[in-house]
Amino acid sequence: MRAFNAELSKLFSLPGIWLAFLIGAFAPAVIAALDSIVQKEEIIAGVSTRISEVGYGGLGFGVQGVIILGVLAVSSEYLTESSESGGGQQITTSLTAVSSRLHFLLAKAGAVTVISILLCIVAIITTVLATHLVLGEYAPAFEWSRLIGVVCYWTFTALLALGITVLTKSSIIPLAVLMINSSVVSFSILLYKVTKLAFYLPDRAGLEMFMFTSDTVTGSLFDRFHTPFTGGLVMFAWVVVIFIVAAIVFHRRDVAS
């Protein structure tokens, strides 16, 4: 518990963490409000077909906040301190205080999990309020099962970011890959026309927990492929595998390397 509390304290002391909170808590609400404005016009015109999806798109984009969180939790350990502090790295001090490397990783993962869940809950609240503020009586009812899926998606994504950063020891690669994948172009979209294995990538499987509905009939990547439960299991399996690999590599790695 002491290691867990220490990791929480370290996370809240990082300047970059406030960017993660800002993106995670408010970006989904802004996107949901903009989407709601468009949907309200379509509803009044009688041509709206996406009313049940309003808000969830923003929550899918807001996952970038916890990506930053997961990456910072690890990459901050490898930043070189100022010469006044000895010019060393935080990881040396952390592993001196916590003798077990596995215990250290679990404490860090636990801290990231708790903050991700809390941040996601705040994002859901701001998104629901923004949607109801714009749409009023036209606002859709947010389903608890889908909202739970959003929480799981955010948490698993944050842990994937943490695990990948443990492997790379740098923030550049995981931030670039994960943020581009969740905002600009998804790898599952690129691979979709090549193989259906794209549906088993963590981003696509995770989105099944809340983004896709069974009444979709477009015959495209955006049709439901997994059930929400199966999609969650697939993403969780990715988290477990990445974390195990990261733990093995971290255990064998020379801290100074």
Side-chain angles (χ1 to χ4, degrees):
M1 181 60 71
R2 185 165 56 184
F4 170 75
N5 290 334
E7 291 304 324
L8 281 177
S9 178
K10 282 193 288 185
L11 279 173
F12 282 110
S13 69
L14 298 174
I17 204 68
W18 303 110
L19 176 61
F21 290 164
L22 182 64
I23 294 175
F26 298 107
V30 172
I31 295 173
L34 294 174
D35 191 22
S36 296
I37 292 172
V38 174
Q39 285 302 303
K40 189 170 185 177
E41 294 176 354
E42 294 184 355
I43 290 171
I44 294 174
V47 296
S48 176
T49 58
R50 297 189 306 105
I51 187 62
S52 64
E53 298 175 13
V54 172
Y56 292 104
L59 290 169
F61 178 85
V63 77
Q64 294 200 19
V66 294
I67 289 174
I68 295 174
L69 170 67
V71 171
L72 285 179
V74 176
S75 63
S76 61
E77 297 283 350
Y78 293 98
L79 293 176
T80 302
E81 298 176 349
S82 64
S83 57
E84 290 81 3
S85 302
Q89 294 179 324
Q90 177 66 42
I91 186 67
T92 304
T93 304
S94 297
L95 292 181
T96 300
V98 182
S99 57
S100 169
R101 295 194 177 198
L102 179 59
H103 188 191
F104 169 73
L105 278 184
L106 289 175
K108 195 171 284 293
V112 168
T113 297
V114 169
I115 296 177
S116 296
I117 292 173
L118 293 177
L119 184 57
C120 187
I121 291 173
V122 172
I124 288 173
I125 293 173
T126 59
T127 299
V128 171
L129 289 176
T131 302
H132 280 77
L133 181 65
V134 175
L135 289 178
E137 61 179 312
Y138 301 116
F142 284 81
E143 303 171 28
W144 281 107
S145 59
R146 295 177 72 180
L147 294 179
I148 291 173
V150 174
V151 174
C152 291
Y153 179 66
W154 280 42
T155 304
F156 293 162
T157 301
L159 292 175
L160 283 174
L162 183 148
I164 295 172
T165 310
V166 170
L167 294 173
T168 63
K169 295 175 56 178
S170 168
S171 62
I172 298 176
I173 296 175
L175 274 179
V177 172
L178 293 175
M179 294 191 76
I180 290 175
N181 186 64
S182 62
S183 60
V184 181
V185 57
S186 169
F187 296 132
S188 58
I189 292 178
L190 294 175
L191 294 175
Y192 162 65
K193 293 187 177 181
V194 178
T195 172
K196 283 193 174 183
L197 291 177
F199 290 106
Y200 291 92
L201 290 173
D203 62 322
R204 179 55 170 79
L207 288 173
E208 293 275 12
M209 290 187 281
F210 66 96
M211 275 296 291
F212 305 108
T213 56
S214 56
D215 60 352
T216 307
V217 290
T218 58
S220 71
L221 172 68
F222 302 101
D223 286 342
R224 168 160 286 173
F225 186 80
H226 303 288
T227 65
F229 181 73
T230 303
L233 283 181
V234 171
M235 194 174 188
F236 179 70
W238 275 95
V239 172
V240 171
V241 170
I242 293 294
F243 192 85
I244 290 175
V245 173
I248 293 172
V249 171
F250 186 66
H251 179 73
R252 295 180 177 180
R253 176 186 292 156
D254 181 356
V255 173
S257 63

